[in-house]
Amino acid sequence: MDYWKLTCLVCGAPVRTKLSTIRQQTKRGQGSCTPWGHRKKRESHLARTRTRSYETMRQARFEPLVEYPGVGEPWPSGCMVCGTVQSPCEGDVRAGHGCKTCARRANGETQRLRKAETAVADMGSRGWIPLAGYPGAAQWWLCRCPVCGKPAEVKLNAVRRGQTSCNPCRYGRLAEGARRAVGEAVLLMEAAGWEPVGEYPGNANAPWECGCRDCGNISFPGVASARKGSRCGFCSTRGLKLAEPALLYLLHHPELRAYKIGTGGPRGRLPRLRQHTRRGWLVYRRRLFETGAQAYLVEQRVLRWLRVDRELPQWLSPEQMPQNGASETVCADELSLAEVWARARMEIALLPGQSDAPVSAGYVPRAEQFDGVRSVPA
């Protein structure tokens, strides 16, 4: 049987159908076209499931905000617990999924309770008794000190790192340790021949004003240097003698492209200046001081100016200067000899009772002999 082209009297849509199909639909009570019947069936199914879907959402603590969109479609709803608006699918809610915000909060609360239990156990194992709720590992926590038994605020992180008492107890131990350190330092300086005059600076390497028990002169040794056996520079028989006349000199080496400032005694079997000139160093300027302490002070001030203000590092290595003194060298390319000596003259002028005029200059072989070192007047 052929298809008829007809028009549905219910929906008005054109359809192609057979007479036998129309008779079967009439027997079933379907008085419309097939597309309209499918549409009515979907609407009927949607009406039956809508009520069940609303009940499902409300049981999961969701209040729908729009009409039911379908099982697999996002459904904007408000959480009845926290009030946040979310868009869960009905299928996800049927599978047991709930409010994400509430779930995160519940998980966070569980974690906090677990951390609080661990924190209380950690504090108890170290002798601390918590007196308030756990505020966090990095927050101040009111607890009872295991040493003095008084309430004190402490951080869990600090206790886990090894803090065993409150700050008053800890500072008391530090003060006691500092007092013991001062006593030990005084005993060490006295054993090394020094009589402390000023207060202990608190650092083993810091200068400490002391008087020599042998000569009575005031010096500034450090506890570390005294521990190594350093003696008074005024009465020592080795090195630069601070109480005797001494030379301040400025040398240059053309081949090594280096300058050197140093001090040394003017007399002796092999004066310090002579040790350098025998190895190719030339004397640019030198100055004789009444005491080695004055020469040493000027040398240290000039070296500080070179190292700190001018930022010039040590130029030569100890292997290049077997006679020692490499730590006082600088590169000749960075500045001139006149600049270095001008700085030395300025420091000399700051000394009480000193003139800033140099004594001699210019190393020339076979010239005027000065205690084993040849030089000519400026």
Side-chain angles (χ1 to χ4, degrees), residues 35 85 88 94 102 108 183 201 239 243 257 266 292 295 302 315 341 355 370:
V85 177
R94 288 181 180 178
C102 294
R257 300 179 10 257
V302 174
W315 178 244
W341 191 249
S355 170
F370 179 79

Side-chain angles (χ1 to χ4, degrees), residues 112-134:
R112 280 190 291 272
L113 291 175
R114 188 179 296 114
K115 289 181 179 179
E117 295 174 358
T118 305
V120 171
D122 289 348
M123 297 294 281
S125 63
R126 292 167 172 82
W128 293 87
I129 301 176
L131 302 178
Y134 173 61

Side-chain angles (χ1 to χ4, degrees), residues 44-321:
S44 176
H45 175 73
L46 185 61
R48 289 194 305 270
T49 60
R50 182 178 292 112
T51 303
R52 185 172 65 250
S53 300
Y54 275 95
E55 293 177 357
T56 302
M57 296 295 287
R58 290 190 176 99
Q59 289 176 0
R61 296 304 187 94
F62 283 112
E63 181 62 36
L65 302 178
V66 297
E67 292 294 330
Y68 176 61
V71 177
E73 299 296 329
W75 196 355
S77 305
C79 178
M80 297 180 181
V81 179
C82 64
T84 59
V85 177
Q86 303 179 32
S87 298
C89 297
E90 182 193 358
D92 295 336
V93 174
R94 288 181 180 178
H97 297 184
C99 174
K100 296 181 179 179
T101 303
C102 294
R104 284 194 296 267
R105 290 179 179 177
N107 183 52
E109 186 65 25
T110 303
Q111 293 293 333
R112 280 190 291 272
L113 291 175
R114 188 179 296 114
K115 289 181 179 179
E117 295 174 358
T118 305
V120 171
D122 289 348
M123 297 294 281
S125 63
R126 292 167 172 82
W128 293 87
I129 301 176
L131 302 178
Y134 173 61
Q139 304 299 324
W140 293 106
W141 193 2
L142 184 62
C143 300
R144 192 176 301 280
C145 176
V147 177
C148 64
K150 297 180 180 180
E153 289 187 335
V154 68
K155 295 181 180 181
L156 177 61
N157 286 340
V159 174
R160 287 174 173 172
R161 286 194 299 265
Q163 182 173 344
T164 58
S165 62
C166 61
N167 287 337
C169 296
R170 191 155 54 103
Y171 294 152
R173 290 198 305 271
L174 293 176
E176 181 64 26
R179 286 191 290 270
R180 288 199 304 268
V182 172
E184 294 174 359
V186 170
L187 293 177
L188 190 148
M189 297 300 284
E190 292 177 350
W194 298 101
E195 185 67 32
V197 177
E199 295 183 358
Y200 177 56
N203 188 340
N205 295 317
W208 190 2
E209 184 179 5
C210 299
C212 179
R213 289 187 169 184
D214 296 331
C215 64
N217 288 301
I218 299 297
S219 298
F220 294 84
V223 176
S225 60
R227 187 182 291 114
K228 295 178 182 178
S230 176
R231 308 295 295 179
C232 174
F234 289 96
C235 56
S236 175
T237 58
R238 300 179 59 185
L240 180 67
K241 298 176 177 57
L242 301 182
E244 297 182 4
L247 281 174
L248 173 74
Y249 49 80
L250 178 61
L251 312 178
H252 68 101
H253 201 295
E255 297 180 1
L256 298 178
R257 300 179 10 257
Y259 299 155
K260 170 179 169 54
I261 189 168
T263 58
R267 295 176 177 81
R269 181 178 179 182
L270 187 59
R272 184 63 176 159
L273 186 57
R274 183 66 178 274
Q275 297 178 17
H276 295 305
T277 56
R278 292 178 61 179
R279 295 184 178 274
W281 288 87
L282 306 180
V283 180
Y284 176 73
R285 291 287 190 276
R286 67 183 179 185
R287 171 70 187 247
L288 180 64
F289 290 86
E290 295 180 359
T291 63
Q294 295 175 330
Y296 178 76
L297 180 60
V298 174
E299 177 202 33
Q300 293 302 309
R301 288 178 176 178
V302 174
L303 283 174
R304 179 178 178 81
W305 172 72
L306 292 172
R307 299 289 186 246
V308 179
D309 297 345
R310 297 299 297 268
E311 298 181 353
L312 299 178
Q314 176 180 325
W315 178 244
L316 299 182
S317 63
E319 291 75 14
Q320 293 175 293
M321 293 193 67

Side-chain angles (χ1 to χ4, degrees), residues 321-368:
M321 293 193 67
Q323 74 277 20
N324 299 326
S327 60
E328 295 93 15
T329 59
V330 295
C331 179
D333 300 336
E334 302 295 336
L335 72 173
S336 64
L337 288 167
E339 291 182 78
V340 180
W341 191 249
R343 182 69 185 192
R345 293 180 62 177
M346 185 182 73
E347 298 295 346
I348 293 172
L350 297 177
L351 297 177
Q354 292 290 326
S355 170
D356 62 345
V359 171
S360 62
Y363 173 78
V364 179
R366 300 187 183 88
E368 178 184 355

